[in-house]
Amino acid sequence: MENTSTEKEKKQQTTCYHCGEPCDNDGLHHDGKDFCCSGCRTVYDVLSENDLCDYYNLADTPGNNQKNRATRDNRFDYLDDKEISEKLIDFRDEDQTHVTFYVPMVHCASCIWLLENLNRLDQGIISSRVDFIKKKVQVKFQQEYIGLKDIVALMAHIGYEPAINLSDLNVGKRPKMDRKLIYKLAVAGFCFGNMMFFSLPEYFSEAELLGPGFKNLFRYLNVLLSLPVFFYAATDYYQSAWLALKNRTVNMDVPIAMGIITLFVYSLFGIFLLGQEGYLDTLGGLLFFLLLGKWYQQKTFDTLSFDRDYTAYFPIAVSRLKKDQEEVIPLTKVQVGDIIRVRNEELVPADSILLNEEASIDYSFVTGEEVPVGLKKGSLIYAGGRQKGPAINLAVQKSPSQGYLTDLWNHEAFSKREQKDSLASLANRISGKFTFTVLLIAFSTLLYWSMYDFSMGIRAFTAVLIITCPCALAMSTPFTLGNIMRIFGKSSFYLKNSQVIEKLAAVDTLVFDKTGTLTSPANAKIRYEGEKLSDETRGVLKALVSYSVHPLSNRINRYLGQVSPADLEKVEEIPGKGLTATYKTQTIALGAASLMDLKTGEAEKSTGNKVYFFVEGVHLGTFFIDSGIRNGMGKMVKELKNRFDLHLLSGDLDHERQILERELGNEIHMHFQQSPADKLSHIERLQHSGKQVLMVGDGLNDAGALRVSQVGIAVSDNISHFSPASDAILDGKKLSLLSQFLDFANTGRKVIKISFALSFAYNAIGIYYAVQGLVSPVLCAILMPASSISVVLFTTMATNLLAFRRGMNQKATEKWK
């Protein structure tokens, strides 16, 4: 390799015109441009033929690499199945069909431009629209000219293959937005605005100038506008209050419903019998602000899926062998006894028996162990394993719905019950006792004043009910929790619902997964010890590891950098052991010590992953590969260790214990070789001892532990991609902020309790003056929303200020600096 020609070096530096990756020795020169593979060249030809090369002008090398793209024409045959296609389609009529695909390859303006010009590639496509944030593409097409399978094949051909998985068929599970709440909010807002306009003269002396005719007209118009508010917008509160009373309980909606009814009835009494203005504008304002608070609480991150199962990443179809012919069928139609073919990087969809001589299976999603397992013919391969290497044939032993993964998902932990002692239930309990007290005071006031002045008694009775309506209590909770969720979301920490905040504040024990959570493959550390590597030797190693998809081979490949690979012969990968090849008549080997029966000392067992390099059976050197600890993990553990009991559960062997202890300290209780069932049992033992457990994990092997814990946080380096079922999703880059998140959740809980105290203080002052008849229902109706708004402003400002102090409001922090 030391005598590499200048021409070869120049070729090595050439990058692909389509995807931007380096063009190696097998690069192609076509139409005056360089391409790394025939796949990228084909995509360029398709765009060129359809006059779509403006795609390359919107960004530098915008395309995706096509080297490993499957080229089988029958991959999408399952889309011809009517049952499958009907479940994927959004809309269909006689003229056109609408379908929405998730396309993870969308990453720049060129991608959007090309996908929104699909109609120029096929006239059967009417239009296409890209949602860049969600990475979704909606395609409208004429089924008479092009089918669903043809569209997917076309998108795959140009490098934007849709990600279609088994969970896409469960359309009934997709949450839908509550449009009724929006309609009620719109009705309340419209009526409130107009009622305030008609009531404006009543608040000033100009009302006398209108004359009785106009005054009565405005009051009657307010009555008409109040009817949809009272009989439609407020129905949720009536239903909730009725169900509570029916079950012999009192929740927060009971006094709210009483206040609404009292305000409405007394206003009608005043308008029609006493000739007064009434308080219907206040009724509209009350409902508008209450519904606004409820909408704010429900508005969460709808684009994220927190309740995911194994179907969220299982393939929607598999290749079945029948009479030596390969056919693609939906996974739901796979039966016991079928022979299926699983190719490189594909998932094993069902527990099966290996029919090939050997296979290399990556069980990282199931066990957490990132090093693939070598298996021999006749071995049982569990569903969820990923094939690494050449295609293998399997005999299905269990249907996909009865495999090991499904048993794991059906564990009783996945029916985790919600925490009863939440902030919402706390408010309900407080308002229940508060309601009985208010009713007692209101009726006592009515009885007292009726002995002297019945009209005054009615006014005082109504004033007490209006001023004590706990809308401040009702609004402060959703506004505060919603604001906390918004702040968390801006820091890439997405909560499933507001109850998670209360649970976060209560945890005292933290349990971490290792692989993919505390560690990240991108941060892996590699060092080499042994004979010095010449340029020629590095080229030999580069060529050798390029034949493997093993994670350790990939890391060595990156470690070697941009060197020209040598020409090797008889390259062979031995599952579970390593690689062998011939170079200039010499046998080259790279892999485990057992590959060449190398005897290692006991002292080496705990020094991380090791890959040995041999030439003619002689050990020349060793690559030491440590799992890369995420940035900031040491600081995070230091911040957490004094307040929480820390545990680490890993499916890996304990060969990295010393590294982890050096990086993270000795405060974490470490447990290795933990199966999914072991992780789940460990957390249950902690809970039985009285611990409130927070589990932080990333893979399917953590799913049971995430669900059985009080709070489960799924760490993901791409929050839109797969993550197991959880209470929250956290961007892996922000895991180091976990201590601040927990502090902020606890502080937010205190802010809400302070808002409760403020609400009660307002009510106490209002009751004092209402009982004495010193304030009218009008003034009470004005003070009631004013107090609510002041409490909401307090909680919002307090949470924003606390977030700013903790550095979670990044934009504000940067602006301040």
Side-chain angles (χ1 to χ4, degrees), residues 544 569-574 578-582 587-590 595-596:
L544 192 59
E569 299 177 352
K570 300 179 181 179
V571 180
E572 180 183 6
E573 183 171 8
I574 304 173
L579 296 154
T580 62
T582 300
T587 300
I588 310 297
L590 185 70
L595 182 63
M596 291 293 173

Side-chain angles (χ1 to χ4, degrees), residues 661-681:
E661 289 179 346
R662 183 177 67 248
E663 295 288 339
L664 304 178
N666 299 319
E667 291 79 11
I668 299 184
H669 305 287
M670 298 186 183
H671 307 271
F672 295 90
Q673 293 181 274
Q674 299 288 298
S675 68
D678 293 334
K679 292 184 177 183
L680 195 150
S681 299

Side-chain angles (χ1 to χ4, degrees), residues 756-799:
F756 288 174
L758 285 176
S759 300
F760 292 138
Y762 278 125
N763 284 319
I765 296 172
I767 288 174
Y768 173 77
Y769 288 105
V771 167
Q772 298 188 48
L774 299 177
V775 291
S776 66
V778 177
L779 186 57
C780 291
I782 295 173
L783 293 175
M784 180 264 299
S787 64
S788 302
I789 293 172
S790 64
V791 170
V792 169
L793 288 175
F794 163 76
T795 57
T796 303
M797 292 177 61
T799 50

Side-chain angles (χ1 to χ4, degrees), residues 530-556:
E531 297 290 335
K532 184 178 180 181
L533 299 177
S534 65
D535 291 342
E536 183 177 14
T537 304
R538 293 172 72 90
V540 171
L541 290 171
K542 182 77 172 181
L544 192 59
V545 295
S546 297
Y547 279 91
S548 174
V549 294
H550 194 286
L552 299 182
S553 297
N554 293 336
R555 293 176 186 177
I556 294 175

